[in-house]
Amino acid sequence: MTAGAQEQALAQGSRLAGKVALITGGGGGIGAATAAVFCAQGASVMLVDMDGAALERTARSIAERVPGARVSHMAADVADPAAAQQAAAHCNEGFGRIDVLVNNAAMRNYSPLAQATPEEWQAVLSVNLVGNANYCRAVLPFLRTAEKGAIVNVSSCYAVTGRKGMGLYDASKAAILAMTRTLAFEEAAHGVRVNAVCPGSTLTDFHVNRTKAAGKSVEELKTKRQDTSLMGRWAAPMEIAYPILWLACDEASFITGTTLMVDAGLHIM
């Protein structure tokens, strides 16, 4: 199936039947695609994002594409630990349990490392790393009582390979991989699996809107990832969502502490 076809067609199934997932960064891109896939596979989903309007659009889109989808949402900054506790409580109250946490929310920064200020570091880490920790802490009590709890942390291919210009972001994403491994050790006794996905270049609304704002062609943008993929193209968000689904569902029941590269081979280039 091509990337475009994956965006249009959602396979109906039962891989997450009866399960409940909380997804951060669910207003668009990978988070929204993951929510749609989860709902199509039988899950009830709660979305968290700073952008309330984006959450409304995502929820409407899922309802249109997935008959009978159960989706709720809450606008919140993942850097706020109190909001994380509130989101977890609302999810549990609304759906009766929580089985899966997908930590997807992130922010970007383009300062060179030599020029990045302490305030910039704090802003990035508060979302990309501490934000993940906030939701792990809030959701783990519910995951531990679930029969088979799972956490999927969305990192980045650039957590394991270098580039210039996004050192703060990349360092925070590398830290997520260390946190994933440690949490897998700590939560194994409670039956909770913890894994990470490292997406490669993914054509999300963020990139499209940024290109349009710069007065550039989206069609030209689609040709810009020839050197960051063995396949010579961007991923569609759905192509990241399906690996997240696999790690979240019982098919991956013997997998924990793992980093799954979903980058069309960038990490070996």
Side-chain angles (χ1 to χ4, degrees):
M1 180 181 290
T2 65
Q6 284 184 335
E7 289 290 354
Q8 296 299 320
L10 279 173
Q12 302 288 306
S14 58
R15 296 164 75 183
L16 290 176
K19 297 199 174 188
V20 175
L22 191 157
I23 301 173
T24 69
I30 292 170
T34 300
V37 168
F38 276 26
C39 286
Q41 291 295 322
S44 300
V45 174
M46 179 169 179
L47 301 173
V48 175
D49 198 287
M50 284 191 67
D51 189 337
L55 287 171
E56 293 280 359
R57 289 193 297 272
T58 296
R60 284 197 302 270
S61 174
I62 292 173
E64 292 168 359
R65 299 169 70 191
V66 183
R70 300 180 69 202
V71 185
S72 65
H73 52 82
M74 172 179 160
D77 181 353
V78 297
D80 182 352
Q85 295 291 333
Q86 184 181 11
H90 284 182
C91 185
N92 184 64
E93 290 166 6
F95 295 127
R97 58 188 293 151
I98 307 177
D99 301 275
V100 178
L101 169 64
V102 178
N103 279 313
N104 173 68
M107 69 169 291
R108 293 168 179 267
N109 180 290
Y110 300 94
S111 294
L113 288 174
Q115 299 172 18
T117 66
E119 292 77 16
E120 287 178 302
W121 273 107
Q122 183 64 42
V124 170
L125 293 175
S126 69
V127 172
N128 294 6
L129 182 60
V130 179
N132 280 25
N134 287 339
Y135 277 80
C136 287
R137 182 183 180 192
V139 173
L140 271 168
F142 303 104
L143 296 182
R144 289 171 176 175
T145 62
E147 186 177 349
K148 298 175 181 178
I151 296 174
V152 182
N153 294 320
V154 179
S155 178
S156 168
C157 60
Y158 291 107
V160 300
T161 188
R163 61 175 168 174
K164 63 180 180 179
M166 287 188 69
L168 280 70
Y169 177 90
D170 295 349
S172 69
K173 290 296 188 175
I176 286 172
L177 299 186
M179 187 175 76
T180 296
R181 293 188 293 268
T182 299
L183 198 58
F185 267 104
E186 294 178 350
E187 294 303 316
H190 301 289
V192 179
R193 297 183 299 105
V194 188
N195 293 290
V197 164
C198 287
S201 299
T202 306
L203 191 59
T204 63
D205 290 342
F206 171 86
H207 294 290
V208 171
N209 293 336
R210 192 162 179 257
T211 296
K212 289 179 178 178
K216 298 179 181 179
S217 165
V218 173
E219 290 306 313
E220 182 181 357
L221 170 68
K222 292 178 180 180
T223 69
K224 293 296 185 182
R225 284 299 187 262
Q226 301 296 318
D227 59 347
T228 60
S229 161
L230 290 179
M231 296 180 180
R233 64 172 178 83
W234 295 80
M238 222 42 108
E239 292 180 290
I240 313 300
Y242 279 111
I244 293 172
L245 167 67
W246 180 64
L247 286 174
C249 76
D250 292 346
E251 294 169 14
S253 59
F254 200 58
I255 299 176
T256 194
T258 290
T259 297
L260 178 59
M261 306 303 300
V262 191
D263 65 349
L266 174 60
H267 67 286
I268 64 169
M269 291 176 68

